[in-house]
């Protein structure tokens, strides 16, 4: 489908959807786009990094975005994250502003969110690839079925989980969480996207980090250390 290795913990959940015609069409389309000379982000081998870094049975929080950053050197497979040394994109600047306001911790010096992923925060975009310079260019090409299956797998585990849905594209998955989450096992937090175009319409002041930790602690799943080195989130 995508020439990506499916992490073992996600294989049972994803194998059926990856065998479907839609996934095969997606794989063929991505290959043709790249063969025609178009630059696709993130590069091959990084498109399922969120799943590789956060095994299914370790997921405590799901943060859903729209699609990867479309600038060179930014996207590396984790929603909203950039590698060490890469300038913070505006959306991540706003996420860190809300983090400081919410928890009173210092914003981390790096935009690399692998430290969140390793604590059980699944950083998943609705669409997992994008053409260079063209936000939303790969929407509707078949990624939805795959990311829907990821969300379904987390919900069906039945472990109390926080779903943080930023922006209208991510919020389309809210019905999946609520429809499958029998017994109210999960917390769904929805707000506008942290982009500068929408952050002031309700993202700022939404306090997702403190709400997530309060829910996790109440259900015996610990808390996430959201801040930088030495901070207690």
């Amino acid at each position: 489908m995508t020439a990506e290795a499916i992490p073992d913990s996600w294989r049972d959940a994803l194998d059926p959807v990856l065998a479907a015609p839609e996934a095969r069409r997606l794989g063929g389309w991505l290959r043709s786009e790249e063969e025609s000379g178009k630059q696709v982000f993130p590069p091959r081998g990084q498109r399922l990094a969120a799943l590789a870094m956060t095994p299914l049975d370790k997921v405590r929080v799901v943060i859903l975005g729209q699609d990867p950053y479309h600038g060179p050197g930014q996207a590396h497979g984790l929603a909203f994250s950039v590698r060490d040394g890469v300038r913070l994109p505006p959306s991540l600047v706003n996420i860190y502003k809300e983090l400081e306001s919410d928890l009173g911790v210092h914003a981390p010096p790096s935009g690399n969110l692998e430290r969140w992923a390793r604590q059980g925060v699944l950083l998943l975009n609705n669409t997992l690839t994008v053409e260079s310079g063209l936000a939303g260019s790969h929407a509707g090409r078949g990624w939805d079925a795959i990311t829907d299956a990821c969300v379904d797998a987390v919900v069906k585990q039945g472990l109390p989980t926080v779903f943080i849905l930023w922006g209208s594209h991510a919020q389309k998955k809210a019905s999946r969480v609520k429809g499958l989450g029998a017994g109210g096992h999960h917390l769904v937090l929805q707000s506008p996207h942290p982009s500068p175009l929408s952050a002031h319409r309700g993202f700022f002041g939404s306090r997702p980090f403190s709400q997530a930790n309060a829910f996790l602690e109440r259900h015996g799943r610990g808390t996430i250390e959201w801040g930088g080195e030495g901070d207690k989130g």
Side-chain angles (χ1 to χ4, degrees):
M1 182 277 305
T2 61
E4 306 282 312
I6 307 303
D8 288 343
S9 72
W10 292 91
R11 187 170 295 280
D12 287 347
L14 293 184
D15 273 350
V17 70
L18 293 177
E22 185 176 19
R24 292 197 294 272
R25 284 194 296 270
L26 169 63
W29 180 78
L30 283 172
R31 284 191 296 274
S32 67
E33 290 290 282
E34 292 177 306
E35 288 168 1
S36 72
K38 293 180 180 178
Q39 192 169 18
V40 176
F41 298 135
R44 290 189 184 190
Q46 298 178 22
R47 293 167 186 172
L48 300 180
L51 306 183
M53 197 159 291
T54 310
L56 175 57
D57 62 342
K58 303 298 184 185
V59 176
R60 295 191 284 165
V61 177
V62 179
I63 293 181
L64 278 169
Q66 180 175 339
D67 58 358
Y69 295 126
H70 55 268
Q74 293 183 312
H76 66 117
L78 304 181
F80 299 104
S81 179
V82 291
R83 292 196 183 279
D84 294 332
V86 176
R87 183 177 179 180
L88 300 187
S91 292
L92 187 52
V93 169
N94 287 338
I95 290 169
Y96 280 179
K97 285 180 180 178
E98 178 60 20
L99 173 63
E100 289 196 55
S101 173
D102 185 6
L103 294 179
V105 299
H106 296 297
S110 169
N112 193 329
L113 302 181
E114 290 181 5
R115 65 192 178 281
W116 291 1
R118 292 192 182 99
Q119 295 180 75
V121 180
L122 180 64
L123 295 162
L124 187 70
N125 280 308
N126 202 45
T127 299
L128 299 186
T129 54
V130 69
E131 183 180 342
S132 176
L134 294 174
S137 52
H138 289 189
R141 290 290 180 174
W143 280 118
D144 284 0
I146 295 167
T147 54
D148 281 352
C150 292
V151 169
D152 291 354
V154 175
V155 171
K156 289 175 180 177
Q157 284 192 118
L159 298 172
T161 304
V162 181
F163 291 82
I164 300 175
L165 313 182
W166 286 333
S168 58
H169 288 269
Q171 288 165 15
K172 291 176 182 177
K173 293 203 184 332
S175 61
R176 307 193 73 83
V177 180
K178 295 173 181 176
L180 293 169
H185 290 308
H186 310 296
L187 174 66
V188 179
L189 301 175
Q190 302 184 64
S191 77
H193 195 276
S195 160
L197 297 174
S198 55
H200 290 280
R201 297 203 297 265
F203 172 76
F204 288 132
S206 60
R207 306 197 68 183
F209 307 103
S210 60
Q211 290 191 73
N213 274 354
F215 176 88
L216 292 173
E217 191 165 32
R218 190 163 63 248
H219 288 85
R221 302 205 69 195
T223 59
I224 306 297
E225 186 175 321
W226 298 103
E229 293 294 330
D231 281 324
K232 299 298 181 183

